[in-house]
Amino acid sequence: KAGVTQTPRYLIKTRGQQVTLSCSPISGHRSVSWYQQTPGQGLQFLFEYFSETQRNKGNFPGRFSGRQFSNSRSEMNVSTLELGDSALYLCASSSGDLRMNTEAFFGQGTRLTVV
Amino acid sequence: GNSVTQMEGPVTLSEEAFLTINCTYTATGYPSLFWYVQYPGEGLQLLLKATKADDKGSNKGFEATYRKETTSFHLEKGSVQVSDSAVYFCALIKTDKLIFGTGTRLQVFP
C-alpha cells in the first residue's frame, strides 16, 4: 500500500509570507504528527492530530498551526515566515496511539527554505 | 524532563567493521525506545524498537538492548556495509509523541 505522501517536496518562500504543507497518511491511519528537523535543533515535535482533533502540541509559536480533514489528510500552516523556519518538515502517520506500540511511518518530508 | 542523548558524529568506519552508537535516555517510567534511520534525501524509517527493560530489538543485523540499570539503548552491528551510511536517531515515546536524540551520522567506506 502507498506510504505517507508529503507535498510539495521543496518550497522556497520569502520572509513574511505564509506556507501550507500537506500530508496524506497511509490509508486507514487516523493519527498524523508533524516534526520540524533543523541542523541546530534536530527533530522537534510540532503537533499531532487524531480523527480531526489536535491531541498533542509542541512548544512552537502560534504562527505554526495545523488541521486534519475527515479523510485523515493533514495540513500544516506557517504564517509570517522567518528565516529560522527553514527546515525539513516531516509528517508521520500511525494507526493509533504510539504508546500502544503502533508504528509511526514517516513521509519523505517537505524542505522549506525561507529567503 | 524526558530526553535522549546520543554520541556525536560522524562515525567513520571501514566496511565490515563493528559499529556501536551510544544512546542514553532520561524519562519517568519505562518508555518504549526506538532507533530510526534516515538515508540521504529521505524521511525516517523505523529500524528497531524495544518496549520494556531487557528487551532486545533487532533488524537488518542491527541490535539494541533496553538497559534499565544504565538507562541506555546502544545500537550495534557486527559488520557494517557501505549501504548502512545514514543518520541514526535514538528516540523514546512520551505522551504519544516521539522525542529524538540529535542523530549520529554514520559513514562507511569500502
Side-chain angles (χ1 to χ4, degrees), chain A residues 44-69:
Chain A
Q44 294 189 289
F45 173 78
L46 281 154
F47 27 65
E48 186 240 351
Y49 287 87
F50 184 88
S51 294
E52 302 180 68
T53 300
Q54 187 181 88
R55 287 201 302 195
N56 211 343
K57 188 176 189 307
N59 295 323
F60 278 81
R63 300 185 297 107
F64 292 80
S65 63
R67 59 178 176 170
Q68 187 179 34
F69 301 95

Side-chain angles (χ1 to χ4, degrees), chain B residues 3-5 23-27 30-31 33 66-68 71-72 92:
Chain B
S3 65
V4 176
T5 302
C23 169
T24 57
Y25 67 90
T26 301
Y30 303 105
L33 301 174
Y66 192 141
R67 301 286 188 199
K68 181 179 63 175
T71 61
S72 64
L92 61 81

Side-chain angles (χ1 to χ4, degrees), chain A residues 9 31 33 35 37 43 45 48 55-58 88 90 96-99 101 103-104 106-108, chain B residues 32 34 36 38 41-46 49 51 87 89 93-102:
Chain A
R9 289 291 310 277
S31 171
S33 299
Y35 292 82
Q37 185 178 18
L43 280 153
F45 173 78
E48 186 240 351
R55 287 201 302 195
N56 211 343
K57 188 176 189 307
L88 180 67
L90 292 166
D97 191 328
L98 294 180
R99 291 169 296 183
N101 297 321
E103 182 177 342
F106 284 81
Q108 291 183 295
Chain B
S32 294
F34 306 81
Y36 282 84
Q38 186 175 35
E42 301 291 323
L44 299 173
Q45 297 176 25
L46 178 63
K49 68 178 182 182
T51 59
V87 181
F89 292 91
I93 285 283
K94 162 70 175 172
T95 58
D96 209 29
K97 67 182 180 187
L98 288 161
I99 295 175
F100 291 91
T102 52

Side-chain angles (χ1 to χ4, degrees), chain B residues 10-107:
Chain B
V11 173
T12 304
L13 295 172
S14 298
E15 206 164 24
E16 299 183 4
F18 183 86
L19 168 71
T20 300
I21 300 178
N22 290 338
C23 169
T24 57
Y25 67 90
T26 301
T28 52
Y30 303 105
S32 294
L33 301 174
F34 306 81
W35 276 101
Y36 282 84
V37 58
Q38 186 175 35
Y39 297 102
E42 301 291 323
L44 299 173
Q45 297 176 25
L46 178 63
L47 182 59
L48 54 83
K49 68 178 182 182
T51 59
K52 60 184 187 297
D54 299 325
D55 261 5
K56 177 185 283 189
S58 60
N59 186 28
K60 301 181 181 179
F62 291 90
E63 293 183 339
T65 301
Y66 192 141
R67 301 286 188 199
K68 181 179 63 175
E69 306 80 13
T70 54
T71 61
S72 64
F73 192 55
H74 304 322
L75 182 67
E76 296 181 336
K77 186 174 185 182
S79 176
V80 293
Q81 305 300 312
V82 172
S83 58
D84 294 327
S85 298
V87 181
Y88 292 81
F89 292 91
C90 186
L92 61 81
I93 285 283
K94 162 70 175 172
T95 58
D96 209 29
K97 67 182 180 187
L98 288 161
I99 295 175
F100 291 91
T102 52
T104 302
R105 181 174 300 278
L106 170 65
Q107 297 173 321

